[in-house]
Amino acid sequence: MKNIVVMGSTGSIGIQSLDVISKDNSYNVVGLTCHSNANLLFEQAKKYSPDFVAIDVIDSSHDLFNLCKENNIELITGSKASSNIPFKNLDLAINAIVGTAGLRPTIELIKNGIDIALSNKESLVLGGHIIMPLAHKKNVNIIPVDSEHSAIFQCLNGENHKELKKIILTGSGGPFLETPIHEFDSITPEQALKHPNWDMGAKISIDSATMMNKALELIEALWLFNIKLDKIQITIHPQSIVHSMVEFVDGSYKAHLGLPDMKVPIAHALSEDRRLAIDFNPIEFSSLNLSFQEFPKDRSNIENIAREVCNKGGFLGTVFNAANEIAVAEFLNGRINFDKIYEVIYRTFDKNIMSNDVSIDSIYSVD
């Protein structure tokens, strides 16, 4: 039985991960962590009886304290709770923390030699140049949970990476693919949160609506697959059936297909050399209609910045990500219009904070 900690257990990916785990008796949930959703963490702790739970923000009168005391569950609290968990006897960690907060836990997991099913793309956007060499040194496996990177990971399994010609990263284009950018000022949070294909958390849904998610995923792919930047192509695929493709030097392609369902890449990240039997909806090939198109030209600045981040490195990934996180939060809070998300990102990125002295602490300082 494999001992697993689910970090970000109360978020969309964390909840779905626990659902997949509950369907298979090969896994033992020994730990759960979250930021502040104490009520849901309480219910999860009751159901899975972990050895420990960690939460950043909690009211001292919450019932979770009594539950943990009565059931001998270690309770870890404080601003860095997910980084202060007991790492002993862990086989795998699912890092489903949203945003910059997921970086430090990723580093701590690698330092302790624990394999990671990684959903937190920010870890690699901010610190890929630190994480990947450290993972190699510690012999830690990083298995992608993002649907696109999981697709690429599976397509490359058993292949000679020297024969890889191109990675084709697909994206739905979000709910405003056909909406010209000059009309974005009137888009409401409610509209932006309605993704046509995927059921995701608020931050990721907005990133899909702006297509910022593709820019971040491009940077993530560079680190995960150790490939030259000019060999990564973004292609818009509105149906979200082909989750990504790879092209080989002999002119052949491999693609990963499936209806939009995050439980599929989660199950693969958990499965190692077998495939888990999960509930899923099959594709009706007789009615399948797939289309592909280039990245919208009126949003090309987002992709161009991502490529600049890849080329120049340093703190640029941190600046790019931080500007987006704040802009998305301000939009969801009703303080800026949807189109201003781009303006905030462009204006902040133009500061071009550069340094070769990049460490985890300095990344957080710049952030």
Side-chain angles (χ1 to χ4, degrees):
M1 184 170 288
K2 182 177 289 188
N3 289 334
I4 293 181
V5 57
V6 180
M7 295 179 161
S9 66
T10 61
S12 175
I13 298 299
I15 291 169
Q16 292 179 80
S17 296
L18 287 171
D19 185 64
V20 171
I21 290 168
S22 68
K23 302 293 197 300
D24 194 292
N25 60 10
S26 303
Y27 307 102
N28 178 34
V29 178
V30 298
L32 301 166
T33 86
C34 77
H35 175 57
S36 60
N37 192 343
N39 291 338
L40 181 51
L41 186 63
F42 175 85
E43 297 300 327
Q44 292 175 340
K46 279 202 302 185
K47 179 175 181 179
Y48 293 98
S49 299
D51 295 337
F52 65 86
V53 296
I55 182 168
D56 297 336
V57 181
I58 184 172
D59 189 296
S60 60
S61 64
H62 198 279
D63 288 343
L64 183 62
F65 283 91
N66 287 333
L67 176 73
C68 291
K69 185 177 180 179
E70 292 169 1
N71 293 275
N72 198 29
I73 298 171
E74 181 180 358
L75 175 59
I76 302 146
T77 62
S79 61
K80 299 177 182 178
S82 292
S83 299
N84 294 324
I85 63 172
F87 294 98
K88 187 177 180 181
N89 298 324
L90 281 178
D91 298 309
L92 178 71
I94 299 174
N95 187 347
I97 297 170
V98 176
T100 304
L103 172 61
R104 201 180 297 276
T106 296
I107 295 291
E108 293 303 318
L109 289 164
I110 295 172
K111 286 180 178 178
N112 284 275
I114 298 162
D115 290 342
I116 305 170
L118 187 64
S119 174
N120 178 259
K121 62 172 62 71
E122 289 82 2
S123 288
L124 294 176
V125 172
L126 276 63
H129 53 298
I130 298 171
I131 287 168
M132 297 311 292
L134 183 61
H136 180 74
K137 178 181 178 181
K138 293 287 187 177
N139 198 28
V140 167
N141 295 309
I142 297 181
I143 308 106
V145 173
D146 274 354
S147 61
E148 297 84 358
H149 300 90
S150 176
I152 296 163
F153 189 82
Q154 294 181 63
C155 287
L156 291 176
N157 186 32
E159 298 287 352
N160 185 341
H161 286 221
K162 292 181 180 179
E163 296 170 352
L164 174 65
K165 185 175 182 180
K166 186 186 296 182
I167 283 174
I168 302 166
L169 195 67
T170 61
S172 70
F176 310 120
L177 176 60
E178 303 302 329
T179 305
I181 200 166
H182 66 263
E183 296 180 8
F184 276 19
D185 61 333
S186 62
I187 291 172
T188 67
E190 291 73 23
Q191 292 172 319
L193 289 169
K194 290 181 180 178
H195 193 281
N197 303 325
W198 294 96
D199 180 16
M200 305 175 291
K203 165 65 166 55
I204 300 172
S205 295
I206 301 302
D207 283 350
S208 178
T210 60
M211 297 196 193
M212 179 68 175
N213 65 325
K214 288 302 118 184
L216 297 174
E217 287 167 9
L218 185 151
I219 301 168
E220 186 181 6
L222 184 84
W223 290 112
L224 278 173
F225 305 111
N226 191 26
I227 187 173
K228 291 182 179 179
L229 183 59
D230 61 3
K231 291 187 175 183
I232 306 175
Q233 174 186 326
I234 299 177
T235 294
I236 300 303
H237 169 52
Q239 295 80 27
S240 297
I241 299 294
V242 177
H243 298 300
S244 275
M245 298 177 278
V246 295
E247 177 187 354
F248 295 100
V249 293
D250 63 353
S252 62
Y253 293 77
K254 286 174 74 174
H256 181 280
L257 281 71
L259 292 177
D261 187 347
M262 280 307 301
K263 292 177 184 176
V264 175
I266 290 168
H268 183 265
L270 292 169
S271 63
E272 291 189 309
D273 57 352
R274 65 191 180 97
R275 291 194 179 269
L276 304 184
I278 63 172
D279 294 330
F280 67 94
N281 294 317
I283 296 173
E284 292 291 342
F285 284 95
S286 60
S287 59
L288 201 60
N289 182 21
L290 306 181
S291 63
F292 302 89
Q293 61 194 74
E294 65 180 10
F295 199 88
K297 285 185 169 56
D298 62 0
R299 277 153 269 188
S300 62
N301 277 350
I302 286 292
E303 180 180 353
N304 293 338
I305 291 176
R307 292 186 180 274
E308 185 177 347
V309 168
C310 293
N311 282 322
K312 293 184 177 179
F315 290 121
L316 291 187
T318 303
V319 175
F320 190 34
N321 180 76
N324 179 61
E325 284 192 1
I326 295 300
V328 169
E330 294 296 273
F331 168 66
L332 289 172
N333 288 332
R335 294 187 60 184
I336 63 172
N337 291 340
F338 186 74
D339 61 317
K340 298 302 182 185
I341 294 176
Y342 296 110
E343 182 181 322
V344 171
I345 294 170
Y346 301 156
R347 187 176 66 241
T348 310
F349 193 79
D350 278 346
K351 293 180 180 179
N352 274 320
I353 300 172
M354 292 297 294
S355 173
N356 293 322
D357 181 25
V358 180
S359 65
I360 297 301
D361 288 337
S362 63
I363 285 172
Y364 274 95
S365 177
V366 170
D367 180 73

